[in-house]
Amino acid sequence: MKAVVLAAGEGTRLRPLTEDKPKGMVEVDDEPILTHCFDQLIELGADELVVVVGYLKEVIIDHYGDEYEGVPITYTHQREQNGLAHALLTVEEYVDDDFMLILADNVFDANLENVVRRQREDRADAAFLVEEVDWEDASRYGVCDTNKYGEITDVVEKPDDPPSNLVMTGFYTFTPAIFHACHLVQPSNRGEYEISEAIDLLIQSGRTIDAIGLEGWRIDVGYPEDRDEAEELLQDVPAEIDA
C-alpha cells in the first residue's frame, strides 16, 4: 500500500522554528516530524512514499533524496497552499489503489494499524482515526458525527458551533474514489479546498467511512509549545515500554 504524506505547509504559527524550513522538518526528539511519519508508515507496510512538498521544498528533497530506509520516495509539488483536498490532487496520477494518508505536522503514538486493517477488510471506502477533544478546542479541527455502527455520517471543517467534540486526527486510508470527490470540492469560506468537504461528498454518494477511536496519543504540531509537548511524550515512550 502506498502512503501519501502532505508536507507542503509553511507553518507560520511555528515561527521562528520554520523560518528556514517547512514545518515537516521541525525536529521533535532530534528527528524531523517527517522522519517520525516515514518510520511509522513503513512499519505499517508502506511500499512507496508519495510526498507533497511546497514551502521550501528543497529542504525536504535534499534531506531525504529519492528513498528512505529502502522505500522509494516520489515528490509532487503543491505550488499554492489551497487546502488539503487541493494538495491531495497533486498525487492522483501516482496512486491507483487504496492508500494511507498522513499529515506531516502530526506526531502519533497510537493505533494507526487499526485504520489500515479496517481498510484492508474491503468493508469501508475510507477510514480514519478520530479523537474526542475538549468542546472549546473542537472548532480547530474537522468535526465528525457518527452513527451507532461507528460510521461517519457528517464532517464539518473548523465550525464555529461544533456539532460534536469528535475530530479527525490527521491519519486516513482511502480508495482512489477520494480523488473524484476532491475534484468536486468548492472553496470554503476560508478560501481553501477542504478534505473534510471531499469526505462529506463521499458520504453523500453512499460510501462507507469508518471512524476508529484513537488509542494512545497524537499531537498536532501547530505551535512551538506543541512541539515541546510532543518531544516530552516521545521521550517517555521507551520508559513506558520498559515498564
Side-chain angles (χ1 to χ4, degrees):
M1 184 182 287
K2 292 183 179 181
V4 175
V5 185
L6 302 188
E10 183 173 348
T12 54
R13 296 174 300 176
L14 274 168
R15 288 178 179 166
L17 299 175
T18 54
E19 287 180 348
D20 60 351
K21 66 186 71 167
K23 60 182 176 179
M25 293 301 292
V26 170
E27 290 194 354
V28 177
D29 199 22
D30 297 324
E31 295 285 358
I33 299 173
L34 270 173
T35 295
H36 295 290
C37 291
F38 290 174
D39 285 340
Q40 289 184 310
L41 293 168
I42 291 170
E43 185 176 346
L44 291 166
D47 52 21
E48 182 179 346
L49 301 168
V50 185
V51 183
V52 182
V53 295
Y55 173 70
L56 294 178
K57 64 183 185 296
E58 63 279 359
V59 177
I60 295 174
I61 296 170
D62 290 347
H63 184 85
Y64 293 104
D66 58 7
E67 68 172 38
Y68 177 78
E69 299 293 335
V71 175
I73 301 176
T74 298
Y75 297 98
T76 68
H77 186 198
Q78 185 187 23
R79 298 183 183 280
E80 298 179 13
Q81 272 66 75
N82 289 333
L84 299 186
H86 179 264
L88 190 53
L89 284 176
T90 68
V91 312
E92 183 176 13
E93 65 179 290
Y94 302 100
V95 178
D96 57 6
D97 205 346
D98 290 10
F99 66 98
M100 296 176 271
L101 172 68
I102 195 168
L103 308 187
D105 53 4
N106 279 245
V107 179
F108 289 94
D109 180 32
N111 53 322
L112 307 185
E113 67 279 0
N114 291 353
V115 182
V116 177
R117 186 179 304 117
R118 182 65 55 85
Q119 189 74 31
R120 286 177 169 152
E121 291 172 354
D122 289 331
R123 177 189 165 287
D125 295 284
F128 49 83
L129 276 185
V130 295
E131 176 184 16
E132 287 192 15
V133 299
D134 293 338
W135 278 93
E136 57 268 28
D137 294 331
S139 60
R140 294 176 51 192
Y141 304 100
V143 178
C144 311
D145 269 343
T146 60
N147 62 21
K148 64 180 180 180
Y149 304 109
E151 298 168 351
I152 304 290
T153 58
D154 190 30
V155 179
V156 185
E157 185 68 26
K158 299 180 179 177
D160 292 332
D161 185 17
S164 79
N165 65 335
L166 194 67
V167 304
M168 298 189 290
T169 65
F171 182 75
Y172 317 75
T173 55
F174 291 109
T175 69
I178 189 63
F179 297 120
H180 179 66
C182 287
H183 279 293
L184 298 176
V185 169
Q186 298 299 309
S188 67
N189 293 335
R190 302 191 304 145
E192 295 191 358
Y193 295 85
E194 311 282 6
I195 196 165
S196 55
E197 176 66 19
I199 292 168
D200 204 42
L201 288 169
L202 288 180
I203 295 167
Q204 292 176 34
S205 70
R207 307 271 181 168
T208 300
I209 317 293
D210 277 356
I212 309 297
L214 177 77
E215 297 174 9
W217 57 262
R218 70 98 187 208
I219 299 295
D220 177 7
V221 183
Y223 295 89
E225 58 266 29
D226 298 326
R227 192 283 301 264
D228 296 341
E229 182 180 3
E231 187 161 279
E232 183 176 335
L233 287 168
L234 280 175
Q235 289 172 351
D236 286 344
V237 169
E240 292 173 1
I241 293 172
D242 292 342

